[in-house]
Amino acid sequence: MNKAVAGDTPQSNNVPMGILLMIGATIVFALQDGISRHLAGTYNTYMVVMVRYWFFAAFVVFLALRAPGGIKGVARTSQLGLQIFRGVLLVAEICVAVYGFTLLGLVESQAVFICYPLLVAALSGPVLGESVGWRRWAAIGVGLIGVLIILQPGAGVFNSAALIPFASALMFAVYGLVTRYAARRDSTATSFFWTGIAGMVFMTSIGIWFWEPMSQGDWLWMALLCVSGVTGHWLLIKCYEMAEASAVQPFAYFHLIWAAILGVSIFGEVIRLNVASGAAIIIAAGLFTLWRESRKARAG
């Protein structure tokens, strides 16, 4: 899944290259979602996420060793508790999301999850003290109507499993806001380091108790899952170095398209009319919110 890691202020503003990198990242993250669904459908979700985080932690340590000041410099923070909370929250969100894939499939899970930018906008007031105008609240309300269209709470017997991707989106929105708060005092490199290390330690303390032997073929899928996770984060970091976030963020919605293609072609999922229409409403509301934020940024 598309877990955006914003880089430092871009040194250039090569928007076409930034867009290509963003689309590339969405392809990689969609493949990662598909592999996660396959592995978590056969093995315990905690174990799958744990092994993935071992590789992720090794990657952030490798980056830290190459940074000025080494690991000691990158790891230095005056808000350690907040950084650990961020890392634990993200890995917990990933477990929830992957579990949702096994119950609902890629299409419906991602259709609900894409509401997270609207949740970020809604929570930015109480969490960060940012002002939220009536236009943004209107867009948030429209987007949540799209979520209700997908969930269909009044259509016969409500499937409570449909709330799992919404819970995942809410957790990821809180993670994004806490990350933004942490960025007031810590660098991107520091936050990225603690995301991997805290998540790895927490996940290992749980996942090691659910270890299962894996077939040789599935170890190859696991290796591809680990590589895709690192590759996706690298593409996003380069994307935000190349272009402003407001210019490339709308293209993050391509993730849903690739996930739908995988879900239908590989896993035999069906795109229901209410899911397609609800997702379209959420995307439209999200794009409007991004447009408003970019206008406010230019005006400010």
Side-chain angles (χ1 to χ4, degrees), residues 42-109:
T42 307
Y43 307 98
N44 186 275
T45 300
Y46 298 137
M47 187 191 81
V48 172
V49 177
M50 176 185 68
V51 175
R52 170 180 163 182
Y53 257 79
W54 286 350
F55 195 84
F56 182 28
F59 175 62
V60 299
V61 168
F62 170 75
L63 291 181
L65 288 171
R66 300 184 60 190
I71 291 179
K72 188 175 180 180
V74 171
R76 188 179 297 114
T77 176
S78 60
Q79 42 189 359
L80 181 59
L82 182 67
Q83 290 290 4
I84 292 174
F85 172 72
R86 283 182 55 258
V88 171
L89 180 61
L90 179 61
V91 75
E93 181 274 323
I94 290 172
C95 289
V96 172
V98 172
Y99 182 59
F101 295 158
T102 64
L103 294 181
L104 294 171
L106 294 178
V107 176
E108 295 197 21
S109 292

Side-chain angles (χ1 to χ4, degrees), residues 256-273:
L256 177 59
I257 297 174
W258 312 134
I261 291 172
L262 278 177
V264 172
S265 61
I266 304 298
F267 297 102
E269 297 177 17
V270 176
I271 302 177
R272 295 182 291 122
L273 178 60

Side-chain angles (χ1 to χ4, degrees), residues 165-202:
F166 185 77
S168 171
L170 181 60
M171 294 169 71
F172 190 61
V174 173
Y175 164 79
L177 289 168
V178 174
T179 297
R180 197 185 301 176
Y181 183 85
R184 295 174 176 178
R185 293 161 62 182
D186 285 335
S187 68
T188 300
T190 297
S191 290
F192 194 45
F193 175 82
W194 284 110
T195 299
I197 298 302
M200 180 272 293
V201 172
F202 176 77

Side-chain angles (χ1 to χ4, degrees), residues 29-45 47-49 52 97-106 212-225 262-263 266-267 269:
F29 281 123
L31 290 172
Q32 179 179 288
D33 291 345
I35 298 170
S36 295
R37 181 188 168 178
H38 162 68
L39 291 174
T42 307
Y43 307 98
N44 186 275
T45 300
M47 187 191 81
V48 172
V49 177
R52 170 180 163 182
V98 172
Y99 182 59
F101 295 158
T102 64
L103 294 181
L104 294 171
L106 294 178
E212 302 175 54
M214 295 181 65
S215 68
Q216 185 175 359
D218 283 337
W219 271 115
L220 293 176
W221 283 117
M222 180 64 80
L224 185 57
L225 176 65
L262 278 177
I266 304 298
F267 297 102
E269 297 177 17

